[in-house]
Amino acid sequence: MSENLEPSFVKQLQENQNIIHKICRLYTAGEDAHKDLFQEITIQLWKAFPKFRGESKFSTWAYRVALNTAITLYRKNKRSIATVEYEGRQHFTHDIEYNYEEEEQLKLMYQAVYQLNDIEKALVFMYLEDKDYTEISETLGISEVNARVKMNRIKGKLKKILNPLGV
């Protein structure tokens, strides 16, 4: 791995680690699983970084790698997440403190989102991150029209989950 890639990777990862934390929050329940998934996503991003061509924003590329990693591991083994031993560098980034207390107000929303399938979860996540449908469709590999239609259906689904009596 080229030494000159590391500073660029670390800078990009530090600037975008909140999106990785949010993806981890969607696909895990508990702090240990969250940390394991964050580590695995970081490793996958580092492994794939030399192939990043800059044709899209780093954040778009990171979303795709992170979501694919989370979905693959989630489907492969819902009980635990396999991690890869990494002995090279000590730590790439200074981990920011992820405050779970702030997330408590989103608990009901997350519970509703957990009931969605993997692609629906990813779409909701990107929508809530204010990504436009062009970026959503590019990241998920679906058409822009399909992304809009799916999002409208998901909104209806979430309304029913969050307000089953329709009050």
Side-chain angles (χ1 to χ4, degrees), residues 116 120 146-159:
L116 302 174
E120 290 171 336
N146 195 356
R148 289 178 190 278
V149 170
K150 283 183 181 290
M151 192 63 229
N152 283 330
R153 289 180 181 156
I154 293 167
K155 286 178 186 176
K157 225 179 193 180
L158 288 172
K159 283 180 186 174

Side-chain angles (χ1 to χ4, degrees), residues 1-8 46 89:
M1 194 80 40
S2 176
E3 287 292 321
N4 60 359
L5 287 179
E6 186 177 340
S8 175
W46 174 241
R89 304 277 190 258

Side-chain angles (χ1 to χ4, degrees), residues 48-111:
F49 190 66
K51 297 175 190 156
F52 175 61
R53 297 182 305 267
E55 293 172 357
S56 63
K57 294 189 286 186
F58 179 87
S59 62
T60 301
W61 175 78
Y63 272 120
R64 178 172 274 179
V65 172
L67 285 169
N68 286 337
T69 301
I71 290 169
T72 299
L73 291 174
Y74 180 79
R75 286 180 177 166
K76 191 175 187 179
N77 188 354
K78 291 181 183 179
R79 295 175 304 286
S80 66
I81 295 177
T83 58
V84 175
E85 193 70 34
Y86 182 75
E87 297 176 14
R89 304 277 190 258
Q90 286 299 321
H91 295 292
F92 283 122
T93 65
H94 301 289
D95 192 24
I96 59 170
E97 193 62 38
Y98 190 73
N99 188 339
Y100 286 94
E101 291 173 16
E102 288 178 8
E103 295 291 325
E104 283 302 311
Q105 62 190 353
L106 297 174
K107 189 175 183 179
L108 288 175
M109 181 61 134
Y110 276 112
Q111 287 174 344

